[in-house]
Each structure stands twice: as structure tokens, then as C-alpha cells.
Amino acid sequence: MTHQGHPKGCPPEGHPGNHPGGHPHGKTHPGAEGPPRKTLEDGSPICRLIAWEVTRSCNLACKHCRAEAHPEPYEGELDTAQAKALIDTFPDVGSPIIIFTGGEPMLRDDVYELIAYAKTRGLRCVMAPNGTLITPETAKMMKDAGVERCSISIDAPEAEQHDEFRGEKGAFDASMRGIQYLKDAGIEFQINTTVTRNNLHLFKDIFDLCEKIGASAWHIFLLVPTGRAEELGAEIISADEYEDVLNWFYDFRKTTDMQLKATCAPHYHRILRQRAKEDGITVNFENFGLDAVSRGCLGGVGFCFISHRGQVQPCGYLDLNCGNVLETPFPQIWRKSEQFLNLRNPEAYDGKCGHCEYERVCGGCRARAHTMNGNYLGEEPLCSYTPKKKPRS
């Protein structure tokens, strides 16, 4: 290979990182009968995923942390009553999967109470801890509360490089112990890996580790340079390297039945279609699962992020204030936010993304456009593709 969460302090990997609950290539999610419903009764898109930063506090200091998190408590976090009131509104925008993320969500004292409450509202709950704080007791608490999957971030197959990236000696071993406790408790887990120049050559080894420890899925996250990640400099891969990574990923998915997903990599949806055409494979739900029927960048379209203070954003990496749930009901923000409406309108996009024939399936990374070029509706700065369509006059 010529070429990576919601991690601690980050939402999907923590697109938003950390997106537990991913779907496999070439197969449907268990129980699914076909492509999911697309719109609410007023025509707004269904909200499918919410990454909720229930706390920003974290016990690690990851190099790429969006939140630049620290262990101390943050002021202004939603209290239990406010958090439950927010949960009450989630079913009004569909039946989203709720990703309890951070920071380190396990540092919030009432997190299991909130998960259990969300379950009473019929919501699927997943969690994005970094793994280092999981004990047999807390794993049982997760299971009892109703956590269906956890995502754990592993960025190298061995301790030394992972610990260096995560800013804490012993983090790898602690996460491995946490994973074993999840397995003992019967909780499904996925591995998230952030792509940097320093771990590209280790990807096959990381995947082998995922298989060895029994991960249900492996998600790679293409770095968005915000928060501490702005300081990574030479570790951030180039547009051509992104292209190489995603082509490798397309080929690699054929070798395993494990769920694989490329996150914060909307141009994978273009590459999938280009490569499938070359291979003579129809791009449909049966062959490629949700990758065939969903969009690359889901920020504000099928996904959003809610901060520890209640600020709603398209994703955790795109720091746009689209409204605060303490001032405006969340369903109103989802349906009416000016930024969300722009993100749902292809005519609003600038640069080559505004006239690319793959815009509706890709969309470009809005967070990278914003952090690297100052325009969240601008073109994806780390895409090397030249559209065949002419620019709009």
C-alpha cells in the first residue's frame, strides 16, 4: 500500500469520530430489508446518527484531538435533567443511533443513566470510550444500560507507536484490557484507526490485530486538521496519498467479511463507483450496503454533533454554531438551521465540488474545506479528482 473517533477528545473518531454501528460492505445490517427511509414528513432528511459529546473531559492527550481535551471538568456541560430533555427530542428527527462520545464519556458520572434513558425512547445507543478506563464492573454497567457497541481507537499494532500518538504510556495495553472486558461482558466492539503518514505502512498489521482480537468492524478515519491535529504537520497525508489509501481500501474490502468503513473520506464514494464500473459491478445496496445509498459527507445531512454545552454542529470537526439545544429545540435546529440547509443544497457549494458529477454521492469534507481554506462550502482541499462537468456559469 502506498499510502487512517469519533478517539478520546474526538467525536467518531469522532467524526466525527467514533462511529460505532457501521455497516459491512456487500451485506445489509442485520434485520435490514433494504435502503432506509430518506425523509421526514416535511421533506427534511432523516437524522441517522448523532455524536453527542456528553463531556469534553478526557484522561488522554491525543495528538489529533479535535477538542484539545484535558482531564479537568469543563464548565457549562448539560446537567442530567437537560440531557434527558434533549434525549426526549431525538425521536422527532427519525430514529438516530446515539453515539455517546467525548472527551472520554466514561468520565461523566450519569452516562449510564442517560444511556438507559435513551433506550426507553427506543434509541440505539453506542459508545466511544478510549478503552483505558474500562473495568469488568464498568463493562457490565455498559451492558446493563443498553450499550450495543463500543468503538476503541487503535492507531498501531503495537504499544510504542500507539502510546506515542495517544500521549500516554500504557494506553495500548490499557485499551487491550478494556477490549477484553467488553468481550467478557458480551459487548460488540469496533476498532477505529486514524490515518497518518506514520502508520500507513502498518495498516495490514492493524487489520490483522482487529481480526485476532475479534473486532466486529474496522473504521479508518482520514484526519481533519483541527484542534491538536493542526500541529501534526508532516504527518498529514497529501491528496494523492488519500487517493492511494482509498483505492487500497476498495481492494482490501474484498478480502474479508469484516465490516469496513472509511470515515471523513467522502471521496471514497466516488472511488467506489469508479472502481465498481471498471469491475463491472452494479453499485447497489445488495453489493455495497449503505455505501451505495448514502452520501460521503453526512454532516448536516444525515449526521450531526452536539457539544458538551449543547451547541449543534454538522460534525465535531466543523465548528459552526448551528444553534444551541438550550435555546432552540433540537428538531428545529435539524430542520431549519441555515448551515444545515446550505449543506443539503448542491447549488450552494463552491469550487470544483460545486460542479463535480459526484457531488451528490461525495460532497467533499466540509470540515477540511473550513479548517484549511476558511469556507465550509468550498471545495475539498485534499481531493485530487478533476470533475468532467464544466463549472456553473
Side-chain angles (χ1 to χ4, degrees):
M1 177 179 57
T2 59
H3 90 322
Q4 157 251 48
H6 232 333
K8 67 253 166 240
C10 298
E13 236 81 287
H15 199 292
N18 292 344
H19 287 300
H23 297 262
H25 292 271
K27 55 179 79 72
T28 62
H29 186 277
E33 296 180 354
R37 188 165 60 100
K38 292 184 177 181
T39 61
L40 301 169
E41 69 283 352
D42 68 346
S44 300
I46 293 282
C47 183
R48 306 198 181 283
L49 283 168
I50 297 173
W52 182 12
E53 181 190 62
V54 291
T55 182
R56 185 164 283 201
S57 299
C58 187
N59 62 311
L60 297 181
C62 300
K63 281 188 172 184
H64 62 306
C65 180
R66 163 203 59 80
E68 302 183 79
H70 54 66
E72 296 76 24
Y74 284 77
E75 293 184 2
E77 291 187 351
L78 274 61
D79 62 27
T80 302
Q82 291 169 329
K84 287 184 175 180
L86 174 59
I87 290 170
D88 285 337
T89 69
F90 289 157
D92 293 340
V93 295
S95 184
I97 297 171
I98 310 303
I99 305 165
F100 287 79
T101 185
E104 170 49 66
M106 292 180 65
L107 290 180
R108 178 163 177 139
D109 292 339
D110 63 354
V111 67
Y112 307 109
E113 179 182 351
L114 297 181
I115 292 168
Y117 186 75
K119 293 294 289 187
T120 69
R121 300 308 311 267
L123 298 168
R124 183 182 180 201
C125 299
V126 296
M127 198 173 185
N130 58 51
T132 63
L133 300 181
I134 300 173
T135 65
E137 293 74 24
T138 55
K140 184 178 186 303
M141 292 169 72
M142 290 180 195
K143 182 69 173 180
D144 291 345
V147 173
E148 297 186 30
R149 179 184 283 194
C150 283
S151 63
I152 306 293
S153 296
I154 300 294
D155 297 302
E158 297 180 348
E160 183 177 359
Q161 187 169 4
H162 174 87
D163 290 356
E164 198 273 334
F165 192 66
R166 294 283 157 179
E168 185 75 24
K169 187 173 177 58
F172 181 87
D173 291 340
S175 291
M176 287 297 126
R177 284 194 299 272
I179 287 170
Q180 185 59 54
Y181 296 144
L182 292 176
K183 293 166 68 174
D184 293 344
I187 298 175
E188 188 178 80
F189 71 95
Q190 72 182 52
I191 297 299
N192 293 346
T193 299
T194 299
V195 178
T196 69
R197 185 165 283 121
N198 285 343
N199 69 356
L200 294 180
H201 65 290
L202 299 172
F203 264 38
K204 183 60 169 65
D205 293 335
I206 296 172
F207 173 78
D208 289 343
L209 175 64
C210 293
E211 282 199 317
K212 178 181 177 181
I213 62 178
S216 296
W218 182 40
H219 289 203
I220 65 169
F221 285 77
L222 300 188
L223 196 64
V224 178
T226 186
R228 290 195 191 108
E230 290 183 295
E231 302 173 7
L232 289 180
E235 292 185 34
I236 300 173
I237 64 177
S238 68
D240 287 342
E241 287 170 320
Y242 271 86
E243 199 81 0
D244 289 343
V245 172
L246 296 177
N247 273 284
W248 174 85
F249 195 72
Y250 175 87
D251 289 325
F252 188 71
R253 68 173 182 81
K254 304 172 186 176
T255 69
T256 177
D257 289 332
M258 185 184 293
Q259 295 179 10
L260 302 180
K261 184 170 177 58
T263 301
C264 297
H267 22 318
Y268 178 69
H269 289 249
R270 163 181 56 81
I271 289 170
L272 182 153
R273 285 159 176 81
Q274 292 173 314
R275 295 294 307 281
K277 183 177 181 180
E278 293 173 2
D279 293 342
I281 301 172
T282 301
V283 178
N284 56 25
F285 190 73
E286 291 69 32
N287 290 334
F288 291 97
L290 288 184
D291 278 343
V293 295
S294 66
R295 189 170 181 265
C297 182
L298 291 173
V301 179
F303 167 83
C304 72
F305 171 83
I306 302 175
S307 81
H308 62 298
R309 294 181 175 177
Q311 178 174 302
V312 180
Q313 304 173 193
C315 79
Y317 296 120
L318 182 46
D319 190 7
L320 291 179
N321 187 355
C322 301
N324 192 292
V325 300
L326 298 179
E327 301 167 358
T328 306
F330 173 70
Q332 182 177 333
I333 297 173
W334 177 258
R335 296 169 189 265
K336 302 297 183 182
S337 159
E338 178 183 358
Q339 295 95 329
F340 284 5
L341 294 177
N342 283 338
L343 290 167
R344 298 165 189 171
N345 175 19
E347 298 298 315
Y349 288 40
D350 297 328
K352 66 181 182 181
C353 286
H355 63 91
C356 181
E357 62 270 29
Y358 292 101
E359 188 282 329
R360 290 187 179 276
V361 298
C362 171
C365 177
R366 300 298 98 217
R368 276 194 290 269
H370 181 67
T371 59
M372 297 177 73
N373 293 334
N375 177 10
Y376 76 97
L377 294 171
E379 65 183 51
E380 156 73 67
L382 291 181
C383 175
S384 60
Y385 180 71
T386 301
K388 293 181 171 58
K389 288 173 59 178
K390 293 181 180 180
R392 295 190 296 265
S393 57

